[in-house]
Amino acid sequence: MKVRVTETYEDMSDAALALIMDQIRIKPDAVLGLAAGSTPLLLYKKMGEAARDKTIDFSRIRTFNLDEYIGLAPDNPQSYHYFMKKQLFDALGLPPEHTMMPDGMADDIAAECARYGAMIEAAGGIDLLVLGIGSNTHIGFNEPGPAFVPETHVVELSDATRQANSRFFKSVDDTPRWAVSMGIRDIMFAKNILLLASGAGKTEALWKAVCGDITPMAPASILQLHRNVLVLADKAAAARLQRNESEAD
Ligand code: F6R
């Protein structure tokens, strides 16, 4: 894993934008994997600005989001569909057929998981996957547990994740308990992975991802086995990694 530490959240977002633009310059019809949540917000804003300023042509990219809550319709402001449309897809002018997301409203959710995984494969896999990390080390909604789940699947969200994500809902009780998430194989088959981490709330999780044991109890640790992972972290998130570096000197 390569780790690049930036001074600020904004620098992290600029560096991520530069990498995404490089990917699209190499392959204008690149398949991007995307996370929702707070960490990529500024990156998405900057992508929207790059589209507006015609710095790069996003029109041919296709995107696959990592996850969606079960039971939230796409027009529900708390759904990831809604979030992605408002924060990124509208600004990029991407048609819905270019922006894939798991359908959390599907009647047959097992069939939906299979369909979503097959679509990623049919697209030739993900060229560049942008991941956030949960403070409990989840990636996508792959929560700590006894085993890695390879394929797109239904997840029961942990109390920690519901607590963290309750900031977008009226209360923890109001926060969905179930979600659909890409699995660890879907993630590990991405050709390149960019893991973003910002803020002191991610310091311990990032340390476990980069330096900890590889274990399903810390799902992000599996990324240590991937060939092309770049961790982009601001100083606060990387604080423990840097402490380790200076201890080693
Ligand atoms: C969301 C996702 C999650 C988030 C993680 C961090 O699509 O895949 O793994 O990346 O929960 O969320 P934030 O960025 O809100 O701290």
Side-chain angles (χ1 to χ4, degrees):
M1 274 169 131
K2 291 193 190 119
V3 179
R4 198 189 303 168
V5 181
T6 63
E7 194 65 29
T8 65
Y9 172 62
E10 169 131 34
D11 295 342
M12 182 198 82
S13 308
D14 281 329
L17 176 69
L19 289 164
I20 288 176
M21 295 210 301
D22 283 350
Q23 171 66 70
I24 297 171
R25 283 192 194 102
I26 295 166
K27 188 177 175 197
D29 61 349
V31 178
L32 302 185
L34 298 175
S38 305
T39 309
L41 268 177
L42 186 55
L43 164 65
Y44 293 163
K45 181 163 177 266
K46 287 173 184 284
M47 287 171 75
E49 288 164 1
R52 184 199 60 205
D53 300 345
K54 300 200 176 4
T55 314
I56 187 121
D57 177 10
F58 288 100
S59 65
R60 292 177 59 202
I61 66 165
R62 281 160 300 155
T63 66
F64 283 88
N65 264 75
L66 283 153
D67 39 25
E68 177 57 290
Y69 295 112
I70 290 182
L72 298 193
D75 61 352
N76 182 318
Q78 269 85 34
S79 72
Y80 283 167
H81 273 79
Y82 190 92
F83 174 95
M84 292 304 299
K85 190 169 150 42
K86 289 284 164 231
Q87 302 298 338
L88 184 66
F89 299 153
D90 284 351
L92 299 191
L94 290 177
E97 63 274 18
H98 280 214
T99 59
M100 275 57 79
M101 300 194 64
D103 177 4
M105 296 295 284
D107 289 334
D108 183 344
I109 207 81
E112 171 59 11
C113 291
R115 182 195 71 90
Y116 198 67
M119 273 174 79
I120 299 170
E121 273 193 50
I126 293 168
D127 293 304
L128 176 60
L129 173 58
V130 179
L131 292 176
I133 183 169
S135 46
N136 68 352
T137 70
H138 72 216
I139 45 176
F141 274 143
N142 291 273
E143 296 281 39
F148 292 113
V149 182
E151 66 283 344
T152 301
H153 60 291
V154 173
V155 182
E156 181 170 12
L157 298 175
S158 67
D159 291 344
T161 296
R162 291 182 71 223
Q163 186 71 48
N165 290 7
S166 66
R167 68 191 192 278
F168 300 112
F169 296 84
K170 276 194 225 116
S171 65
V172 180
D173 287 342
D174 217 45
T175 308
R177 184 172 290 280
W178 300 93
V180 178
S181 177
M182 276 187 205
I184 291 296
R185 188 186 54 214
D186 301 323
I187 291 173
M188 292 295 280
F189 276 17
K191 293 168 195 115
N192 298 284
I193 295 179
L194 186 54
L195 175 65
L196 303 179
S198 168
K202 301 296 172 67
T203 310
E204 290 308 309
L206 190 62
W207 183 84
K208 284 185 190 158
V210 177
C211 302
D213 291 341
I214 299 170
T215 161
M217 294 309 293
S221 64
I222 192 75
L223 298 174
Q224 293 174 35
L225 299 180
H226 192 283
R227 271 172 192 277
N228 291 308
V229 178
L230 175 65
V231 176
L232 267 178
D234 63 16
K235 261 172 104 175
R240 192 166 171 201
L241 301 179
Q242 294 193 304
R243 204 154 63 229
N244 270 39
E245 250 171 40
S246 49
E247 274 163 15
D249 286 344

